[in-house]
């Protein structure tokens, strides 16, 4: 049965509008001057414009009467455009900046950003419609990442202002990525341990469930900046009163308040999903395990927990994606991470510096989301196969 793929149709038309109506690149004579915008037609000529618009037009036509074969063709066209995007961007920049112009740089303009995001969203939509498994999906992402890495390492994109910002901060950028990952990892790991303990407590004492979830919901409603601020004074007081805490790194600014705040924000989705996951296991399966002579610990670790694991991982996925974004705000209280570049860029009105911090956060969140979603799906299929 043929149906209109409204999502891909809208995104293809939106991408066409951006390619035709918005600037593709903005050429800046130096870092301070805003520069002049240029369209794709001005940068690559009629041939370049047709090379981008023709596949988008075909995607829109195929989306009107979408079939599985048509969706496969659309996916191939989307991947072709994504693979070509960094190389086309480099060619567009090279049309305006000569190799010897060291101060000149090119910023990615709205049309290119819109095209890239539309293609990424179409890729996600088509992958879901085709019900692709984790292996082929990982292969698609791998091809896209390989094309991007090759264009970057070859120097093809060195004239981009975003790359210039990175080259000037390459060492601090790597440190910021590590700080960001460590902060997120510690927050998610700590919240998982606490959430499992709370979920087990709520299962043993059902009367405390509503109150526990109410307290965690209240923490979730506090704005992130306010929560960071509320933690500064008590932690500073504790560090001043107990020097051992200060020696351990627990102070009013830095990692400690950021970690506490992230754990607080992570507890509600993690605890709720863990509790629901453990409760969702069929009672008949538990009774069968007990009938086989299993003790309480055996039932939990060998039956209940493995069956609850897919839903539990969904909670970890939601929490991790949320923590990756919130960790950027922690830079305001000296916790480091990629948020440092975001706030430095905002203070200097340097949007490419802002993007240097924001883009890796988006990529991290998308990769974690895809990996954990694939893992949860694989575990569900494994459970289904075992039951069959």
């Amino acid at each position: 049965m043929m149906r209109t793929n409204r999502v891909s149709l809208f995104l293809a038309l939106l991408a066409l509008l951006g390619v035709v109506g918005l600037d593709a690149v903005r050429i800046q004579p130096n870092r301070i001057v805003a520069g002049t915008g240029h369209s794709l037609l001005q940068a690559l000529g009629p041939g370049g414009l047709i090379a981008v618009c023709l596949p988008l037009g075909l995607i829109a036509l195929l989306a009107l009467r979408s079939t599985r074969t048509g969706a496969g063709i659309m996916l191939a066209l989307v991947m072709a455009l994504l693979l070509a995007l960094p190389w086309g961007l480099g060619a567009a920049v090279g049309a305006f900046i000569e190799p010897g112009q060291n101060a000149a740089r090119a910023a990615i303009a709205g049309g290119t950003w819109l095209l890239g995001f539309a293609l990424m969203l179409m890729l996600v939509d088509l992958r879901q419609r085709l019900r692709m498994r984790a292996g082929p999906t990982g292969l698609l992402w791998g091809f896209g990442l390989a094309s991007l890495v090759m264009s970057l390492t070859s120097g093809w994109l060195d004239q981009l202002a975003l790359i210039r910002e990175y080259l000037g901060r390459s060492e601090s950028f790597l440190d910021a990525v590590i700080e960001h990952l460590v902060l997120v990892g510690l927050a998610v790991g700590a919240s998982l341990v606490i959430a499992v303990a709370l979920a087990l407590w709520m299962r043993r004492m059902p009367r405390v469930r509503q109150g526990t979830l109410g307290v965690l919901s209240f923490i979730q409603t506090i704005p992130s900046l306010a929560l960071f601020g509320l933690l500064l004074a008590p932690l500073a007081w504790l560090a001043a009163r107990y020097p051992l805490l200060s020696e351990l790194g627990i102070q009013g600014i830095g990692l400690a308040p950021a970690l506490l705040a992230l754990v607080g924000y992570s507890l509600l989705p993690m605890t709720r999903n863990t509790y629901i996951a453990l409760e969702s296991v069929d009672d008949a399966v538990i009774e069968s395990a007990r009938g086989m002579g299993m003790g309480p610990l055996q039932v939990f670790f060998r039956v209940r927990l493995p069956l609850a694991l897919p839903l539990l991982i969904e909670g970890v996925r939601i929490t991790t994606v949320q923590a990756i974004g919130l960790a950027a705000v922690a830079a305001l209280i000296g916790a480091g991470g990629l948020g440092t570049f975001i706030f430095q860029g905002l203070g200097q009105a340097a949007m490419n510096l802002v993007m240097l911090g924001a883009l890796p956060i988006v990529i991290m969140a998308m990769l974690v989301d895809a990996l954990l979603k694939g893992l949860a799906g694989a575990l569900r299929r494994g459970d289904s196969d075992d039951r069959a």
Side-chain angles (χ1 to χ4, degrees), residues 82-135:
L82 278 173
L83 292 174
L85 183 59
W87 302 96
L89 180 60
V93 172
F96 298 102
I97 300 179
E98 299 293 335
Q101 296 177 277
N102 295 326
R105 58 188 63 199
I108 305 173
T112 303
W113 284 120
L114 186 58
L115 174 62
F117 282 119
L119 290 173
M120 295 287 286
L121 291 174
M122 277 191 280
L123 179 62
V124 173
D125 174 62
L126 292 169
R127 181 187 66 83
Q128 292 176 347
R129 290 178 184 273
L130 292 169
R131 298 180 182 178
M132 295 176 62
R133 299 203 172 195

Side-chain angles (χ1 to χ4, degrees), residues 193-230:
V193 173
I194 298 171
V196 170
L198 289 175
L200 293 174
W201 184 44
M202 289 190 296
R203 291 190 66 250
R204 184 175 292 274
M205 301 180 65
R207 290 177 297 177
V208 305
R209 181 174 68 88
Q210 188 172 358
T212 302
L213 293 178
V215 172
L216 298 181
S217 298
F218 172 74
I219 296 174
Q220 193 85 5
T221 62
I222 303 174
S224 56
L225 286 176
L227 184 57
F228 285 132
L230 289 173

Side-chain angles (χ1 to χ4, degrees), residues 4-154:
T4 300
N5 183 341
R6 299 177 186 273
V7 175
S8 290
L9 176 61
F10 171 76
L11 291 172
L13 294 176
L14 188 66
L16 275 170
L17 181 63
V19 168
V20 175
L22 298 177
D23 291 331
V25 293
R26 180 171 291 276
I27 306 302
Q28 303 171 257
N30 52 57
R31 188 172 186 265
I32 301 173
V33 178
T36 306
H38 298 275
S39 67
L40 182 62
L41 178 62
Q42 293 172 321
L44 299 181
L49 184 63
I50 293 172
V52 176
C53 291
L54 184 59
L56 291 174
L58 289 174
I59 292 171
L61 289 174
L62 290 169
L64 286 172
R65 291 291 183 268
S66 180
T67 62
R68 185 171 181 83
T69 302
I73 297 172
M74 292 162 62
L75 181 64
L77 292 171
V78 168
M79 279 304 303
L81 287 172
L82 278 173
L83 292 174
L85 183 59
W87 302 96
L89 180 60
V93 172
F96 298 102
I97 300 179
E98 299 293 335
Q101 296 177 277
N102 295 326
R105 58 188 63 199
I108 305 173
T112 303
W113 284 120
L114 186 58
L115 174 62
F117 282 119
L119 290 173
M120 295 287 286
L121 291 174
M122 277 191 280
L123 179 62
V124 173
D125 174 62
L126 292 169
R127 181 187 66 83
Q128 292 176 347
R129 290 178 184 273
L130 292 169
R131 298 180 182 178
M132 295 176 62
R133 299 203 172 195
T137 300
L139 195 60
L140 290 179
W141 287 112
F143 280 131
L145 185 61
S147 177
L148 180 60
V149 170
M150 287 174 62
S151 63
L152 290 171
T153 55
S154 66

Side-chain angles (χ1 to χ4, degrees), residues 96-343:
F96 298 102
I97 300 179
E98 299 293 335
Q101 296 177 277
N102 295 326
R105 58 188 63 199
I108 305 173
T112 303
W113 284 120
L114 186 58
L115 174 62
F117 282 119
L119 290 173
M120 295 287 286
L121 291 174
M122 277 191 280
L123 179 62
V124 173
D125 174 62
L126 292 169
R127 181 187 66 83
Q128 292 176 347
R129 290 178 184 273
L130 292 169
R131 298 180 182 178
M132 295 176 62
R133 299 203 172 195
T137 300
L139 195 60
L140 290 179
W141 287 112
F143 280 131
L145 185 61
S147 177
L148 180 60
V149 170
M150 287 174 62
S151 63
L152 290 171
T153 55
S154 66
W156 188 252
L157 298 174
D158 282 356
Q159 297 295 339
L160 283 179
L162 182 63
I163 305 302
R164 291 286 188 89
E165 296 288 356
Y166 165 75
L167 293 174
R169 300 169 174 80
S170 57
E171 292 185 5
S172 58
F173 178 81
L174 181 59
D175 292 339
V177 171
I178 294 172
E179 290 169 355
H180 205 97
L181 290 173
V182 168
L183 180 58
V184 171
L186 290 173
V188 173
S191 63
L192 178 59
V193 173
I194 298 171
V196 170
L198 289 175
L200 293 174
W201 184 44
M202 289 190 296
R203 291 190 66 250
R204 184 175 292 274
M205 301 180 65
R207 290 177 297 177
V208 305
R209 181 174 68 88
Q210 188 172 358
T212 302
L213 293 178
V215 172
L216 298 181
S217 298
F218 172 74
I219 296 174
Q220 193 85 5
T221 62
I222 303 174
S224 56
L225 286 176
L227 184 57
F228 285 132
L230 289 173
L231 291 170
L232 294 183
L235 288 174
W237 180 82
L238 287 172
R241 187 173 180 84
Y242 302 102
L244 178 62
L245 294 178
S246 180
E247 293 177 5
L248 293 174
I250 300 176
Q251 302 174 357
I253 60 173
L255 179 64
L259 183 58
L260 286 175
L262 288 178
V263 170
Y265 277 117
S266 301
L267 280 178
L268 177 62
M270 191 78 84
T271 303
R272 185 166 51 196
N273 269 64
T274 303
Y275 177 80
I276 294 172
L278 294 174
E279 286 292 300
S280 65
V281 179
D282 192 350
D283 291 337
V285 177
I286 302 300
E287 290 300 324
S288 298
R290 289 171 179 164
M292 294 171 63
M294 291 187 183
L297 289 177
Q298 288 178 311
V299 170
F300 180 80
F301 285 106
R302 296 178 63 180
V303 180
R304 188 181 292 276
L305 185 59
L307 292 176
L309 202 55
L311 191 55
L312 195 151
I313 289 176
E314 286 291 336
V316 175
R317 178 180 67 85
I318 295 169
T319 303
T320 306
V321 171
Q322 173 183 280
I324 288 172
L326 285 175
V329 186
L332 289 173
I333 57 171
L338 291 164
T340 305
F341 298 122
I342 295 175
F343 294 110

